[in-house]
Amino acid sequence: MPTLILVRHGRSTANTEGLLAGWTPGVALDERGTAQAASLPGRLAGVPISEIVASPLQRCQETIQPLLDARPGLRAHSEERIGECHYGDWSGRKLAELMDEPLMEVVQAHPSAAAFPGGESMRAMQTRAAEAVREWNARVERDHGADAVYLMCSHGDIIKSLVADALGLHLDLFQRISVEPCSITVIRYTRLRPFLVRLGDTGDFASLVPREEAAGGDAPVGGGAGAP
């Protein structure tokens, strides 16, 4: 079965403003995110990508554009099932404000029980994304062969949930996974089991440098802004 390259979108204006973007329209890459996207063709040079699939949200479409420009033979497929979690009434709100919501504790410690008001549950998010990957695996193998490589550009919580699915981890453990903006995660699928080949690879270790303010023990909902 194919090898899947998962790319989280580059840093967005919502990331830097501390907002939970969700499906809020008009959330674009910021200056750093644009530079991160511009580096993708070089980082993936030599990798024979057969298909590109992306969330329909603007920040993902902007992330893959330099790669499409560098490989004019490829075209992007839009896939709503790998779009961001539907955060409902939480969409567009400041993450700092949401930390006081009782639901946030559930999102952190028991996400399989978390459902966003006016939105979807985290279980539903993982299920639709995993179903999309399995269908695209079959499609890519049919059209390009079992050794094909394809790329999906998606969002932090989606990618974390797909990694958990590949590793056989319960969704309640997915907050232990971290993927920074424009990081590359690779899953190789086989007939019997998937293999996690790369996780959150940015080629940049700035995020490991201790910060003046402690990062805290909670996972950033939506994926966070990455290294400063």
Side-chain angles (χ1 to χ4, degrees):
M1 296 181 71
T3 295
L4 170 60
I5 299 172
L6 288 162
V7 176
R8 185 184 167 199
H9 62 78
R11 196 174 73 175
S12 72
T13 54
N15 293 145
T16 48
E17 293 170 8
L19 300 176
L20 186 62
W23 283 71
T24 305
V27 177
L29 298 183
D30 68 6
E31 185 177 354
R32 179 170 180 172
T34 300
Q36 290 171 332
S39 74
L40 271 179
R43 292 168 65 193
L44 293 169
V47 180
I49 299 171
S50 59
E51 300 278 1
I52 294 180
V53 185
S55 158
L57 293 172
Q58 180 178 342
R59 52 198 183 273
C60 287
Q61 296 292 321
E62 290 178 349
T63 298
I64 61 170
Q65 192 57 53
L67 193 57
L68 292 170
D69 292 341
R71 303 193 186 197
L74 284 176
R75 68 183 183 91
H77 306 270
S78 183
E79 174 56 81
E80 289 200 4
R81 291 175 295 176
I82 62 167
E84 181 64 283
C85 184
H86 291 276
Y87 296 117
D89 297 344
W90 280 25
S91 298
R93 292 181 59 187
K94 286 275 189 183
L95 285 164
E97 298 173 359
L98 293 171
M99 295 307 295
D100 295 328
E101 295 279 355
L103 178 61
M104 182 60 84
E105 188 176 14
V106 182
V107 170
Q108 292 292 331
H110 191 18
S112 65
F116 295 98
E120 70 179 333
S121 70
M122 301 198 92
R123 296 187 316 279
M125 173 198 75
Q126 183 186 43
T127 297
R128 63 173 165 84
E131 287 178 349
V133 166
R134 283 164 174 77
E135 289 181 19
W136 276 99
N137 281 349
R139 178 173 172 175
V140 170
E141 181 174 7
R142 181 197 67 204
D143 294 344
H144 303 282
D147 294 327
V149 178
Y150 74 109
L151 182 147
M152 280 186 167
C153 183
S154 187
H155 307 265
D157 282 348
I158 294 287
I159 293 173
K160 288 162 56 177
S161 73
L162 289 171
V163 170
D165 175 76
L167 293 177
L169 294 178
H170 196 282
L171 184 61
D172 285 346
L173 301 179
F174 101 123
Q175 296 289 28
R176 302 183 184 192
I177 299 165
S178 176
V179 289
E180 291 197 5
C182 222
S183 63
I184 292 175
T185 294
V186 181
I187 301 171
R188 180 173 295 128
Y189 289 87
T190 72
R191 187 174 66 87
L192 297 179
R193 64 181 69 86
F195 293 88
L196 182 63
V197 181
R198 295 282 190 280
L199 176 61
D201 189 342
T202 63
D204 180 357
F205 296 99
S207 63
L208 303 181
V209 177
R211 303 185 188 183
E212 292 183 6
E213 295 183 5
D218 287 338
V221 180

